[in-house]
Amino acid sequence: MSLGYLVSLLYQYADSIAFLLLAALGLMIILGVVNVINLAHGELIMMGAYITTLTYHRAHLPLPLCMALSTIGVGLFGMLLERFVIRRFYDDKLGALVATWGVSLILSQGTLLVFGPSLESVPLAAWTFSYGRYSFGGYRLLLFVIAIAIVLIAWWVFYHTRLGVRTRATMQNADMARALGVNTRDIYLLTFGVGSALAGLTGALYAPTTTIVPLMGNQFVDVAFITVVVGGGANPIVGALTSAALLSLIATPLSSTLGTFSGRIGLLIAALVVIRFLPRGISGYFQDIRYRRMARGVS
Amino acid sequence: MSGALLHVQNLVAGYGTADILQGVTLEIWPGEMVATVGRNGVGKSTLMKTIIGLLSTRRGSISLKGESITHLRADQRAALGIGYIPQGREIFPELSVEENLMMGETINCAKQSFRYDLVYEYFPILRERRRQVAGTFSGGQQQMLAIGRALVGRPTLLLLDEPSLGIQPSIIQEIGQALLRLNREEELTILLVEQNMRLIEHVAVRAYAMDKGRIVANLTLEMLKDRETLADYLAV
Ligand SMILES: Nc1ncnc2c1ncn2[C@@H]1O[C@H](COP(=O)(O)OP(=O)(O)O)[C@@H](O)[C@H]1O
Ligand SMILES: [Mg+2]
């Protein structure tokens, strides 16, 4: 095995981690904090890609600005969704599932009606560099850096701000948080907005790399759900990071030798194995260990 | 309106289709430390949860400083200055001790500053162990943390539900001392649910006796000091 091949594997590994993280993080944060499985997550990603593509082609704005508009626009849309739809279903998990599914159908069919079967893609920045006989896309590396930066920011907010303390307290015991003066409705509203904004950003970032069609969200949600199941909602950040790293470790060699389809099959099998042994995912398993230690009185 | 700090009138509340509170009326005056006593299951914790707003009021009314809070959410009532310390403590097990205390900051939005100094003075162990994960604390330490958490935000009224439950006598003693000091030095008004006779007679100036979701007697200080009378009401 040549050094060039190793570097290329590493590159594919980073590419895969970035994809899983960006596809899953918004879904996972919403599941972990709000405890709702958002079946419209893929359509929120699609919405992000459409906003970027449309503002780029029709309003001729610079691409980074288009992407920022996607993030903000989908984030605001997510807040409206929470305020007027999701909020009614907090005591009814099945209802929330059906409601978000309904929203996803309305969004994808509505997009088809309004914008037709496809849009012309945004051109991909042609930054490439090579090592030996292998060449790499600079944009893919940028995606990896952005994904890691988002995880770091999320971690900082979660563990080093008052908002983070209140959010974690709400996850652990929402009634007690309320009784101490935390408006948990605002926490849920904000979390849903942030999770949606992350979906919008993901759609925007991948818009130059894929075809822009109303059902494009599907390619993201498959892997997003696998990543969420393996990571578990007990701790969205630890869960997303460990799960993306582990799944990519399995999928990268498979995709690079046997093709993308085998990579996806590998992901599914890995997910089945993990939930067979860790039903609450990796972060749920860590949480169980912590609680067992607490019960024994050691930290 | 009367000058009562807390005025509960004909309160009816419960779970599902059952009414547990069957019309509770009580008044707490500024600066008082009042106990509510009664055997298990008569609705003492239900009363506390309804006053803080975790359970909704089905009939009757609750007012704080003469203003009705009956239709406010729990977080809005806390912001008006009610500090709630539930039965079973309900600290946040995965947060550190310090983060648990920070959660009390949203109580009483009218305050000028937080009271970490006071909390650490009353319970020095909370300062020593402030980085420790709260779930690893013993029952007594968790009780001090739950009290400290409510004090950080300078409440005007403290609702304290069975602080002695499952806690060793020496720590019950320490908590009793802290409550007396808070009541006298900080002029904090306290509504205390308790079944521990020693703690009741040590700290309370009067008490309401509850049975089957109703107040059945007003106990004076003399009655509280009389072990037999008190024992009767604790085991109606
Ligand atoms: N979450 C709940 N759901 C349904 N019933 C409850 C709940 N909590 C308490 N109860 C019932 O309400 C009654 C009063 O309980 P509680 O207020 O906890 O009594 P106390 O604090 O005086 O021991 C009991 O019969 C109890 O079984
Ligand atoms: Mg009780």
Side-chain angles (χ1 to χ4, degrees):
Chain A
M1 207 164 25
S2 73
L3 190 60
Y5 181 64
L6 264 183
V7 172
S8 128
L9 261 189
L10 212 58
Y11 165 81
Q12 290 174 49
Y13 185 52
D15 185 37
S16 166
I17 288 184
F19 185 66
L20 296 187
L21 278 179
L22 289 169
L25 201 59
L27 185 66
M28 204 144 183
I29 288 177
I30 289 175
L31 175 67
V33 178
V34 189
N35 204 5
V36 162
I37 296 172
N38 179 18
L39 288 182
H41 185 69
E43 279 60 41
L44 295 179
I45 292 177
M46 177 272 292
M47 216 170 151
Y50 267 76
I51 295 177
T52 290
T53 309
L54 289 168
T55 48
Y56 183 82
H57 284 310
R58 305 207 178 154
H60 309 289
L61 298 175
L63 190 56
L65 183 60
C66 299
M67 292 177 166
L69 285 177
S70 288
T71 312
I72 296 166
V74 179
L76 290 177
F77 179 78
M79 289 172 86
L80 288 176
L81 204 58
E82 196 279 344
R83 178 66 187 75
F84 293 105
V85 183
I86 314 290
R87 181 172 289 186
R88 297 167 200 276
F89 295 98
Y90 284 147
D91 297 327
D92 173 10
K93 294 296 162 221
L94 203 60
L97 215 60
V98 175
T100 57
W101 185 54
V103 169
S104 83
L105 291 182
I106 292 170
L107 288 179
S108 55
Q109 294 307 312
T111 305
L112 182 64
L113 277 177
V114 177
F115 298 107
S118 73
L119 290 184
E120 183 196 347
S121 287
V122 172
L124 177 59
W127 315 315
T128 54
F129 52 93
S130 50
Y131 184 90
R133 4 185 228 101
Y134 300 92
S135 77
F136 308 109
Y139 189 70
R140 296 284 177 169
L141 285 180
L142 179 66
L143 290 183
F144 178 71
V145 171
I146 292 175
I148 297 299
I150 288 174
V151 170
L152 287 178
I153 293 170
W155 175 82
W156 180 79
V157 171
F158 229 53
Y159 289 98
H160 292 277
T161 65
R162 278 191 162 67
L163 179 64
V165 171
R166 286 174 196 158
T167 305
R168 282 183 291 139
T170 302
M171 287 169 71
Q172 288 170 42
N173 188 339
D175 267 352
M176 196 60 228
R178 261 192 286 278
L180 291 168
V182 174
N183 187 342
T184 52
R185 290 211 237 175
D186 285 355
I187 300 261
Y188 293 147
L189 178 68
L190 193 64
T191 305
F192 213 90
V194 168
S196 304
L198 283 176
L201 176 65
T202 302
L205 288 172
Y206 283 95
T209 72
T210 181
T211 47
I212 308 299
V213 295
L215 290 177
M216 64 175 288
N218 289 346
Q219 56 178 319
F220 294 88
V221 279
D222 301 352
V223 292
F225 272 98
I226 294 174
T227 310
V228 166
V229 164
V230 169
N235 183 326
I237 294 160
V238 170
L241 207 54
T242 52
S243 161
L246 174 77
L247 290 173
S248 298
L249 204 57
I250 294 160
T252 307
L254 280 176
S255 318
S256 96
T257 52
L258 302 171
T260 316
F261 181 69
S262 309
R264 291 281 163 96
I265 300 289
L267 281 187
L268 259 180
I269 295 174
L272 288 175
V273 171
V274 169
I275 54 176
R276 167 68 185 77
F277 292 103
L278 314 175
R280 296 179 57 236
I282 299 173
S283 71
Y285 173 70
F286 287 157
Q287 189 179 46
D288 291 342
I289 291 183
R290 275 201 306 282
Y291 274 91
R292 241 172 282 146
R293 285 215 190 124
M294 284 176 199
R296 293 205 312 269
V298 292
S299 66
Chain B
M1 275 313 290
S2 65
L5 179 63
L6 178 73
H7 190 159
V8 172
Q9 212 161 12
N10 293 322
L11 195 64
V12 176
Y15 311 89
T17 53
D19 288 341
I20 301 296
L21 302 182
Q22 312 271 354
V24 171
T25 298
L26 56 80
E27 270 182 333
I28 313 291
W29 299 84
E32 275 191 311
M33 174 141 48
V34 179
T36 301
V37 303
R39 64 188 162 75
N40 273 330
V42 300
K44 304 182 298 297
S45 296
T46 305
L47 173 64
M48 298 295 243
K49 280 187 216 162
T50 312
I51 295 174
I52 188 62
L54 290 177
L55 277 177
S56 54
T57 299
R58 292 178 177 176
R59 278 198 300 282
S61 65
I62 308 169
S63 54
L64 187 72
K65 295 172 209 158
E67 305 275 342
S68 171
I69 58 169
T70 318
H71 300 290
L72 297 185
R73 297 190 310 264
D75 56 285
Q76 296 170 317
R77 298 186 195 189
L80 288 177
I82 306 183
Y84 172 59
I85 302 154
Q87 181 176 332
R89 281 92 60 177
E90 309 215 13
I91 52 128
F92 302 102
E94 292 194 73
L95 299 189
S96 70
V97 168
E98 196 170 36
E99 288 170 335
N100 265 278
L101 293 177
M102 276 166 77
M103 287 301 295
E105 291 180 0
T106 33
I107 294 170
N108 191 3
C109 57
K111 66 185 171 294
Q112 306 291 328
S113 60
F114 306 128
R115 299 239 57 186
Y116 288 97
D117 54 339
L118 180 95
V119 171
Y120 288 144
E121 187 205 324
Y122 276 44
F123 306 115
I125 189 166
L126 299 181
R127 186 203 293 275
E128 287 158 33
R129 308 255 178 115
R130 63 187 182 278
R131 307 232 178 277
Q132 190 170 322
V133 176
T136 60
F137 262 15
S138 71
Q141 292 165 338
Q142 290 191 8
Q143 189 64 60
M144 294 181 202
L145 178 57
I147 296 173
R149 181 176 65 180
L151 293 179
V152 160
R154 275 183 206 270
T156 46
L157 170 68
L158 210 57
L159 304 176
L160 184 50
D161 195 349
E162 298 221 32
S164 73
L165 204 69
I167 286 171
Q168 63 191 65
S170 66
I171 296 189
I172 297 179
Q173 186 80 14
E174 192 178 333
I175 288 173
Q177 292 297 344
L179 293 181
L180 277 180
R181 271 189 69 192
L182 282 168
N183 183 241
R184 286 175 192 158
E185 294 170 23
E186 308 299 324
E187 291 166 358
L188 186 57
T189 310
I190 302 176
L191 175 58
L192 169 77
V193 163
E194 235 336 309
Q195 303 209 59
N196 180 306
M197 280 201 270
R198 285 193 52 190
L199 187 57
I200 297 167
E201 62 179 25
H202 185 45
V203 302
V205 291
R206 63 186 180 90
Y208 291 100
M210 249 183 112
D211 191 31
K212 296 189 184 123
R214 288 196 170 85
I215 303 292
V216 292
N218 292 304
L219 309 181
T220 61
L221 190 58
E222 294 72 51
M223 291 159 92
L224 292 179
K225 297 287 181 204
D226 176 25
R227 278 277 164 114
E228 277 173 20
T229 316
L230 187 53
D232 281 349
Y233 283 108
L234 285 174
V236 181

